[in-house]
Amino acid sequence: MDQFTINLLFVGASFALYIGIAIWARAGSTSEFYAAGRGVHPVTNGMATAADWMSAASFISMAGLIAFTGYDNSTYLMGWTGGYVLLALLLAPYLRKFGKFTVSEFIGDRFYSSSARLVAVICLIVASVTYVIGQMTGVGVAFGRFLEVDNTTGLLIGAVVVFAYAVFGGMKGVTYTQVAQYVVLIMAYTIPAVFISLQLTGNPIPGLGLFGTDQASGEPLLARLDQIVQELGFNEYTAHNGDTFNMVLFTLSLMIGTAGLPHVIMRFFTVPRVSDARWSAGWALVFIALLYLTAPAVGAMARLNITEQFWPNGTEGQAVSVETIESDPAYDWMATWQQTGLLGWEDKNGDGLIQYYNENSTAMQERAAAEGWQGNELTNFNNDILVLANPEIANLPAWVIGLVAAGGLAAALSTAAGLLLAISSAVSHDLIKGQFAPQISEKGELLSARIAMAVSIAVATYLGLNPPGFAAQTVALAFGLAAASIFPALMMGIFSTRVNNTGAVAGMLAGLVVTLLYIFLHKGWFFIPDTNAFTDADPLLGTIKSTSFGAVGAAINFAVAFFVSSITKETPQEIKDLVESVRVPRGAGTAVEGH
């Protein structure tokens, strides 16, 4: 049986499972559509939250970014994990106790203002649509490879699949679908990592193998990797080479952006009690850790494997030949990925070899001049393909490659569904029912939610054709927008009685607008290519990249909110009492039912 057929079997079986679950658990009421009837067990919810959390950015893109940058991109791990702890400790239990369906509804009630609710909806939609673009980018990469079609066709196929099960199931269907997706994605991520760790270090635990010995050279694996990448003119893998200030801001932006993500917060509305929300958070952290502790090893080992494939005789010997790439089965993965348009190479100097090196390194420029090289001949290696290509690069069995196909799609589709549910809930429940048509029927509200999903998928698919970065980089922009707009409003809503409705609205608008402008100046207006005035290599403000600006936007949000609140009318006493009742632990066993 060929690899394509095996891929189809694994992906087809997993899709049949997801869509079957979505139909079985189809939402019949708004309570089931928005909050799964508030009857999800904490362990189940923790697993679903982990799947919702570990998107294409985590599964497909993060290890690739770590692999080709090294230590500096460990900020993704630190920011996303740290942010989840903030969410679990500071927000989730209190929001569950408040007892509403959506984040926007909490903000509207806490700040006693329909305007605050409307602005929260706008912030949520902007952040969530940006996030979905990153997921659809990952969907396109995964479908493109494993259906052996180009990236654009893969993206369009993925959009149809997301629409099918997200629209049918609502939160009830998505919850149980995400449990299945978590099982698939964690197996797909860890099993290849175990194989590769055994190949390279003899240790079956990838996290320990990372600090083990490379069996081929007898050196510590990380020391061997440092040596080989430096010999090719790249930065030392385990060293800090970037700007520290930007690194700190980026980590902080990911942390507080994580804690402000509506689609993750919504998961804590699905459990019966506040104590269950806390347990859900704990279980989710356990499930997340299984992947996040493996990711650094996946990145490092893949980088070593790729580099050694291009320099099979060592960096002082000859590079791999074009003939070998075209005839050796160990290099079949290159031809397969070339079809997607995400991998490319060119024999620029016509010597029959493909030299992969850092052409911007002074030392390598001298060697290139001496040996007649015409530049780096690995012309395209999209970071988002690394995890999906990893089993092929390591020459693992065909069934492992098929499993990774299913896992990559599970990761991208699970988060896309959660995000689309957050968007549809904001539009139908907060915007239409909460603002424009309070008397809308339950059937009409569900219909409007599903229409909102369809429109969101269409927009995200269109923008996903020309994303503003790799999947994880695009997702980082969404985290920055959530950090600058939603997180401060939630924190002030729970922990401060000083901030009033006018201050909250002014703060959210200031944080969102400033951050969005900074992103557009660097990534293009509305992410349209070639409309940017600056780049992240040469940013507008010092060393602050667009992906790091969310922390600055959050500071602006807090400052504006407190300032405006200090010069406007004080928060009413009944709202102060409401805030105190949400924060005080008494009665935590029975959360308020908002509907």
Side-chain angles (χ1 to χ4, degrees):
M1 190 180 296
D2 63 16
Q3 186 62 59
F4 180 73
T5 304
I6 292 172
N7 292 342
L8 285 180
L9 287 174
F10 273 88
V11 172
S14 63
F15 280 0
L17 175 64
Y18 306 151
I19 294 174
I21 291 172
I23 294 172
W24 166 73
R26 183 175 181 178
S29 66
T30 52
S31 177
E32 289 183 340
F33 190 89
Y34 296 133
R38 302 197 194 277
V40 181
H41 190 277
V43 176
T44 303
N45 195 49
M47 194 174 291
T49 302
D52 209 356
W53 175 261
M54 292 187 293
S55 63
S58 291
F59 188 101
I60 294 175
S61 193
M62 181 174 63
L65 289 173
I66 293 172
F68 286 95
T69 300
Y71 171 82
D72 283 341
N73 271 349
S74 63
T75 46
Y76 285 94
L77 291 168
M78 295 184 291
W80 282 335
T81 308
Y84 186 79
V85 175
L86 285 181
L87 172 62
L89 295 178
L90 298 180
L91 296 180
Y94 303 107
L95 292 173
R96 176 62 191 94
K97 187 176 182 183
F98 195 79
K100 299 296 182 179
F101 280 152
T102 68
V103 170
S104 307
E105 194 173 13
F106 166 78
I107 291 175
D109 286 2
R110 159 58 185 89
F111 294 110
Y112 51 100
S113 167
S114 59
S115 297
R117 186 173 181 176
L118 177 60
V119 171
V121 170
I122 293 170
C123 295
L124 182 152
I125 290 174
V126 170
S128 297
V129 169
T130 305
Y131 204 147
V132 176
I133 294 170
Q135 302 316 302
M136 299 312 289
T137 302
V139 167
V141 172
F143 269 108
R145 161 59 187 92
F146 294 110
L147 295 181
E148 296 184 9
V149 295
D150 62 76
N151 192 50
T152 299
T153 304
L155 183 60
L156 296 175
I157 294 171
V160 173
V161 174
V162 172
F163 178 78
Y165 75 81
V167 167
F168 274 116
M171 179 60 84
K172 184 179 178 184
V174 165
T175 294
Y176 295 104
T177 301
Q178 286 176 337
V179 170
Q181 287 167 330
Y182 175 79
V183 174
V184 172
L185 76 87
I186 201 65
M187 290 174 61
Y189 202 87
T190 54
I191 288 175
V194 169
F195 273 108
I196 294 169
S197 182
L198 279 169
Q199 279 184 355
L200 293 178
T201 69
N203 194 318
I205 303 175
L208 298 179
L210 179 63
F211 300 98
T213 301
D214 174 34
Q215 295 189 121
S217 65
E219 303 172 35
L221 185 137
L222 287 174
R224 171 62 180 153
L225 181 55
D226 274 339
Q227 176 190 355
I228 196 170
V229 297
Q230 285 181 287
E231 288 175 351
L232 295 175
F234 298 102
N235 289 326
E236 186 179 355
Y237 190 85
T238 57
H240 173 40
N241 301 293
D243 178 75
T244 301
F245 179 61
N246 181 76
M247 187 177 185
V248 170
L249 282 182
F250 181 61
T251 305
L252 183 60
S253 180
L254 291 181
M255 285 180 66
I256 62 178
T258 294
L261 285 174
H263 76 288
V264 176
I265 293 173
M266 284 178 66
R267 291 241 50 93
F268 296 101
F269 299 156
T270 65
V271 293
R273 297 177 298 276
V274 173
S275 58
D276 293 333
R278 297 182 188 275
W279 277 107
S280 292
W283 279 109
L285 201 54
V286 171
F287 293 130
I288 289 167
L290 294 178
L291 187 145
Y292 271 44
L293 291 174
T294 306
V298 170
M301 292 174 185
R303 179 70 182 276
L304 184 60
N305 271 337
I306 290 167
T307 307
E308 289 183 336
Q309 274 210 333
F310 278 95
W311 294 94
N313 303 306
T315 55
E316 293 303 318
Q318 279 195 335
V320 66
S321 68
V322 175
E323 182 184 356
T324 299
I325 293 174
E326 293 176 348
S327 61
D328 189 337
Y331 290 83
D332 284 350
W333 66 275
M334 292 182 63
T336 307
W337 278 100
Q338 188 183 35
Q339 294 176 22
T340 67
L342 300 174
L343 179 69
W345 62 94
E346 178 188 356
D347 183 12
K348 296 177 180 179
N349 61 349
D351 65 354
L353 306 174
I354 299 298
Q355 286 94 14
Y356 160 56
Y357 65 100
N358 182 8
E359 60 189 5
N360 297 316
S361 163
T362 302
M364 293 307 293
Q365 287 171 354
E366 293 174 358
R367 180 179 174 186
E371 301 200 24
W373 299 347
Q374 299 298 316
N376 176 30
E377 295 180 339
L378 180 60
T379 54
N380 181 23
F381 195 111
N382 187 296
N383 288 348
D384 288 345
I385 76 172
L386 183 131
V387 168
L388 299 177
N390 208 15
E392 298 170 87
I393 297 168
N395 200 28
L396 297 185
W399 68 267
V400 178
I401 298 170
L403 179 62
V404 171
L409 294 170
L413 297 176
S414 63
T415 303
L419 287 163
L420 292 165
L421 187 60
I423 294 169
S424 67
S425 299
V427 171
S428 63
H429 189 68
D430 295 310
L431 202 58
I432 295 176
K433 184 178 178 65
Q435 300 281 337
F436 303 126
Q439 303 306 316
I440 189 173
S441 67
E442 190 168 281
K443 184 177 180 181
E445 189 178 349
L446 284 174
L447 177 62
S448 64
R450 285 167 173 147
I451 292 172
M453 272 191 182
V455 173
S456 300
I457 290 173
V459 172
T461 301
Y462 174 75
L463 293 174
L465 295 173
N466 290 291
F470 301 118
Q473 292 171 329
T474 305
V475 166
L477 296 175
F479 277 69
L481 291 167
S485 58
I486 299 171
F487 174 76
L490 293 175
M491 287 294 290
M492 292 183 290
I494 294 171
F495 294 103
S496 173
T497 57
R498 289 180 56 195
V499 180
N500 60 20
N501 55 352
T502 310
V505 169
M508 284 189 289
L509 286 174
L512 176 67
V513 170
V514 171
T515 305
L516 205 53
L517 285 174
Y518 198 83
I519 289 172
F520 285 162
L521 284 170
H522 291 77
K523 297 296 184 183
W525 293 94
F526 303 100
F527 301 132
I528 297 172
D530 302 321
T531 60
N532 56 302
F534 303 90
T535 67
D536 282 331
D538 185 22
L540 170 61
L541 296 178
T543 59
I544 303 175
K545 297 181 180 181
S546 59
T547 49
S548 306
F549 194 79
V552 179
I556 292 171
N557 188 330
F558 278 114
V560 169
F562 277 104
F563 174 74
V564 172
S565 296
S566 69
I567 61 173
T568 52
K569 193 174 180 180
E570 189 177 356
T571 305
Q573 186 59 46
E574 62 268 22
I575 299 299
K576 292 182 179 180
D577 294 340
L578 175 65
V579 173
E580 292 298 330
S581 71
V582 169
R583 284 211 311 262
V584 174
R586 289 192 303 273
T590 53
V592 176
E593 292 296 339
H595 294 266

